[in-house]
Amino acid sequence: AAREMKERVLKLIGDGEGRNVWMGTFHSVFSKILRFDGHHLGYPSNYSIYDSTDSKRLIRQIISDMQLDPKTYPFSFVAGRISMAKSSLMTANHYANDSDVQTVDEASGNPRIKDIYAAYQARLKRADAMDFDDLLFNTYLLFAGFPEVLYKYQQKFKYIMVDEYQDTNHAQYLIIKKLAADRENICVVGDDAQSIYAFRGANISNML
């Protein structure tokens, strides 16, 4: 869909101007921003991106290293909990100190998820790597912590359009809100009847 949108824009306005338009998924656009400015967060421009397979492999290794029962801590379940935390902009430290989150994990028999999350982030950072959720989370941290970087992109993106807006999560909503705050030229397109990704953190209230 992102590729088709690029092709349509290039056809409408030509290769010259069209090449200057940033188009793509949230993850591809934000990964580009982090290539340019991730050094503010301590990442090199050539940082690695872990896909879901890489992430689950690392989590499985951490569970093994901690000598936890993989039946009690299924790596897919743990990965899902960490992903939901990041989509809610919750760091490992925040996760560990949130009483509601810890109550849920303890009630489900998974009190060590907080430790797995902390170890997972430490190993990613040591490898100069980010997972897919970090591409959003770290862009938010970049804009929140470095106003001069946010201002640069507010000036660069004079107009912003987001398609399939019903599928945005909390992190995506806040990042777009920051980017559009200066010029307030934003158009979002979505259909609340097609909101089917709540299980991945999508929040229909972003649109409503």
Side-chain angles (χ1 to χ4, degrees), residues 156-183:
K156 183 176 184 61
F157 303 138
K158 296 179 181 179
Y159 300 91
I160 298 171
M161 194 203 81
V162 184
D163 196 13
E164 303 291 357
Y165 194 69
Q166 76 277 356
D167 295 332
T168 53
N169 63 26
H170 184 59
Q172 292 164 332
Y173 165 74
L174 290 180
I175 294 168
I176 291 299
K177 188 174 182 180
K178 283 181 177 295
L179 279 174
D182 187 58
R183 297 178 182 270

Side-chain angles (χ1 to χ4, degrees), residues 24-151:
T25 62
F26 275 101
H27 292 86
S28 67
V29 171
F30 294 164
S31 67
K32 188 174 179 181
I33 288 173
L34 290 167
R35 295 286 182 201
F36 287 125
D37 290 290
H39 60 90
H40 293 283
L41 299 176
Y43 289 92
S45 60
N46 64 339
Y47 68 86
S48 301
I49 299 175
Y50 280 21
D51 62 19
S52 58
T53 301
D54 297 324
S55 296
K56 288 177 180 177
R57 184 183 299 116
L58 177 55
I59 290 170
R60 181 184 285 168
Q61 183 61 53
I62 291 169
I63 290 170
S64 174
D65 292 346
M66 290 184 171
Q67 298 183 327
L68 298 172
D69 184 351
K71 292 181 180 177
T72 304
Y73 291 89
F75 67 90
S76 291
F77 174 76
V78 175
R81 289 291 286 166
I82 293 173
S83 179
M84 288 296 287
K86 290 185 180 185
S87 295
S88 300
L89 302 177
M90 188 177 287
T91 63
N93 187 55
H94 183 181
Y95 188 96
N97 290 288
D98 188 298
S99 58
D100 291 336
V101 170
Q102 292 312 306
T103 297
V104 170
D105 283 351
E106 287 168 12
S108 63
N110 306 111
R112 300 283 312 270
I113 289 179
K114 63 180 185 292
D115 301 319
I116 299 170
Y117 185 5
Y120 175 68
Q121 284 306 108
R123 293 199 194 186
L124 282 175
K125 193 67 170 62
R126 199 158 60 236
D128 289 327
M130 302 184 201
D131 64 17
F132 281 168
D133 293 309
D134 285 329
L135 298 177
L136 306 182
F137 199 171
N138 284 334
T139 300
Y140 174 80
L141 293 177
L142 180 66
F143 288 164
F146 300 89
E148 71 280 7
V149 177
L150 172 61
Y151 181 76

